[in-house]
Amino acid sequence: MVDIALPIHTGRLVLRRFEAGDLQAFHAYHSLAETARFLPGPAKSYTKSMESVGKYANFVYEKEGDWLCLAIEARDQPGLLGEVVLKWLPGRGQAEVGWSMAPQARGKGYATEAAAAVLDLGFGELGLRRIEARLDELNAASAALCQRLGMRLEGRHVDKWFYKDQWATEMIYAVLADEWRNEWRGGAAGGPTPGP
């Protein structure tokens, strides 16, 4: 099993395991159509939110297919703002990063800061070689976030996904460990620091 030092502290945020007390806030934003718009399934029911929080609170990251999912909260004001995920992909040293934020936390750079911390974790402690992000072409906010992180656009797959009753074009962004180490300068986060 991979032993991950949590919580992770950045300039403004704390990334930690989910807790039972996060359920109400998690459901509040995952039950919204605007949150579900670019996620695979529909807006979450309360039962589905309970299942997700339980799964995220008890994640194990030890083999391909496992998900690391961390709650995002502000350092100076506890309370769930969103989540950032890292999925261990098949193939040596590869993963996929993703994020979802509550409406009140959007547009403040929190998702960029949290994703940068997870990229640092992936390329550092976890020893990954390549991390990608896959998004709907219409998800302009996430595309801009990928660009802020220095991820390059690697592919555009036209009508790749059929979800929400329509075809969607998939955009693939990626960054390699060497690129991250050489090009990332800490961004808004000022560099994450793991531990208490």
Side-chain angles (χ1 to χ4, degrees), residues 126-164:
L126 301 179
L128 297 172
R129 184 175 181 279
R130 180 180 188 278
I131 299 177
E132 65 184 32
R134 295 174 171 265
L135 18 141
D136 187 318
E137 183 177 45
L138 299 179
N139 190 346
S142 284
L145 193 160
C146 289
Q147 292 161 13
R148 283 192 298 276
L149 290 171
M151 300 178 87
R152 87 183 139 276
L153 178 60
E154 287 192 338
R156 179 176 181 267
H157 299 169
V158 177
D159 287 357
K160 171 80 181 285
W161 297 327
F162 188 80
Y163 76 123
K164 310 290 165 70

Side-chain angles (χ1 to χ4, degrees), residues 26-70:
F26 181 88
H27 181 65
Y29 68 91
H30 273 282
S31 63
L32 301 173
E34 67 185 90
T35 301
R37 170 64 184 94
F38 296 115
L39 297 175
K44 284 184 172 52
S45 66
Y46 193 77
T47 301
K48 286 292 185 187
S49 292
M50 286 175 60
E51 290 173 5
S52 294
V53 169
K55 182 172 86 174
Y56 297 161
N58 297 294
F59 76 80
V60 176
Y61 203 72
E62 60 186 10
K63 65 184 184 310
E64 291 177 1
D66 284 348
W67 290 72
L68 166 102
C69 186
L70 300 177

